[in-house]
Amino acid sequence: MRSFFRSSRRPGADGQSGVFLALARCVPFALALLVVAIELSPAHFVYTGPVLTATPALAAVTMGPRGTVSAAVLALAVSVTTATYNQAWGTQPVYTNCVAVVLVSGASVMTSRAIARRRGIELDQVRRIAVAAQEVILRPVPARLGPVRAASLCLAAGTGAQVGGDLYDAVETCYGVRMIVGDVRGKGLNAVRAVAVALGAFREAVHYEGDPVEVMNHCAAALQRETAMPGAFDQEALMEGFTTALMAQVPPGEPAVELINRGHPPPLLLRQGTVHALTPTCPLPPFGLEDLITGPPVKAESYPFLPGDRLLLYTDGVIEARNRDNSFFPLAHIMEGTHADSPQHFLAQLHQQLLRHTAGALADDVAMILLDRLS
């Protein structure tokens, strides 16, 4: 579902800042080339020492230690080459310029290393805070829930301190075992806030709402209230404020599973070595697009869920994962070829297959819940 809306996303400040940073990194090398052009031309009488000395200093601001060393080596090479070409060795300006380049280069490299070290410490602190927050919001599902065994897996894509926008939970209630898996548009604080709101509404409503449709309506209403609050989300989040979600319910004493699908990828049922996609007969839009719901009242759709069956709920980060050949991850095929005696081992094998397929570089967040029907 996320890929369906991807083309409508407007370029933001991140793209503009990336272009500006790339241009800024070119400035030191452009200055070195300018010095070469002047020194090898009839205008070589122009004193270019200060310009060349500034090259490593500028590199220290926009590059890491390696880039600063490269700029320093280039500046020194240009200084030596142009002095030799112009037969200027033995003059005081040449020696002064070389000494200045060496001193500024050394100081620039040390400064660049200090900046990189400080950024690494700050980023590590933010990562730890983000991971702790995510573990509080996304707690692991219990290993046993009534008539099913369960396991969960959550992987955040990318680097840095980005917290994923995937959500999941599984709760045993008087109405049966109830689970939710969802995917919030975007990343960062807006996604974390939406995940917390949706899960909070779900964890409250599952215990007193008998109809799973009403549970999902509570989640949608909570997200609408949060989105309507002034300052709750930025303008981009308001424009793209939708969340795909899937709720599954295993009623007590019934060999079935009831599903409410709000624009989410259909769950996969593994029965006797064959995978079946539980595609909804009446597709519903994601949270945030309730105006598109028309027709008769929404009802949960029921599917057989027999002892020995395995049910996988997942986010689109799994099926949209690509390899170097730009091929999608064949989730259904991998499930049919995976054999494990427990949900934890099954998800662990899926995890390894996913990392192998993407060479360890996930482009999107991943969340999965696996259920084994026991009785």
Side-chain angles (χ1 to χ4, degrees), residues 10-75:
R10 299 185 306 172
D14 290 342
Q16 296 176 355
S17 61
V19 173
F20 177 78
L21 181 60
L23 293 176
R25 287 175 175 172
C26 295
V27 171
F29 301 100
L31 291 178
L33 293 177
L34 177 62
V35 171
V36 171
I38 293 175
E39 292 291 342
L40 300 183
S41 71
H44 62 83
F45 58 87
V46 177
Y47 184 55
T48 58
V51 177
L52 197 60
T53 304
T55 298
L58 291 174
V61 178
T62 57
M63 301 181 183
R66 291 183 179 180
T68 305
V69 170
S70 299
V73 171
L74 177 62

Side-chain angles (χ1 to χ4, degrees), residues 51-314:
V51 177
L52 197 60
T53 304
T55 298
L58 291 174
V61 178
T62 57
M63 301 181 183
R66 291 183 179 180
T68 305
V69 170
S70 299
V73 171
L74 177 62
L76 187 60
V78 170
S79 180
V80 172
T81 301
T82 55
T84 303
Y85 178 81
N86 292 320
Q87 300 179 353
W89 289 108
T91 61
Q92 182 179 358
V94 170
Y95 292 120
T96 302
N97 184 51
C98 288
V99 171
V101 169
V102 171
L103 292 178
V104 173
S105 297
S108 299
V109 171
M110 289 188 292
T111 301
S112 179
R113 288 180 177 176
I115 293 174
R117 189 181 301 111
R118 185 177 70 251
R119 288 177 178 173
I121 294 174
E122 293 174 351
L123 184 58
D124 185 63
Q125 292 175 344
V126 175
R127 278 200 191 102
R128 291 200 299 267
I129 294 172
V131 169
Q134 192 169 22
E135 289 177 350
V136 170
I137 297 174
L138 297 177
R139 57 199 182 199
V141 303
R144 181 67 186 268
L145 293 165
V148 300
R149 292 187 301 174
S152 60
L153 175 66
C154 184
L155 302 172
T159 58
Q162 289 183 336
V163 180
D166 289 357
L167 62 95
Y168 66 87
D169 201 2
V171 183
E172 185 177 6
T173 70
C174 60
Y175 305 106
V177 179
R178 290 177 160 181
M179 297 141 288
I180 188 171
V181 171
D183 187 358
V184 176
R185 174 75 172 183
K187 294 180 182 295
L189 294 179
N190 286 319
V192 174
R193 185 180 292 114
V195 167
V197 169
L199 285 179
F202 172 81
R203 289 165 179 167
E204 178 183 3
V206 288
H207 292 287
Y208 66 82
E209 286 291 352
D211 189 350
V213 176
E214 290 302 318
V215 176
M216 295 292 271
N217 289 341
H218 274 278
C219 296
L223 286 171
Q224 285 182 338
R225 289 193 300 270
E226 185 71 14
T227 303
M229 291 179 59
F233 292 89
D234 60 24
Q235 189 62 32
E236 184 178 0
L238 287 172
M239 295 179 62
E240 302 180 350
F242 61 88
T243 299
T244 67
L246 170 71
M247 178 180 169
Q249 174 176 286
V250 181
E254 297 183 26
V257 59
E258 299 175 350
L259 303 177
I260 299 291
N261 194 329
R262 294 294 300 269
H264 202 74
L268 299 180
L269 180 70
L270 179 61
R271 175 178 297 153
Q272 298 180 352
T274 303
V275 169
H276 307 273
L278 304 185
T279 306
T281 56
C282 297
L284 298 173
F287 293 151
L289 302 176
E290 280 72 25
D291 293 341
L292 300 180
I293 299 179
T294 58
V298 177
K299 294 183 179 180
E301 300 185 18
S302 181
Y303 301 86
F305 189 32
L306 309 177
D309 289 351
R310 273 183 167 157
L311 182 67
L312 180 67
L313 285 66
Y314 57 93

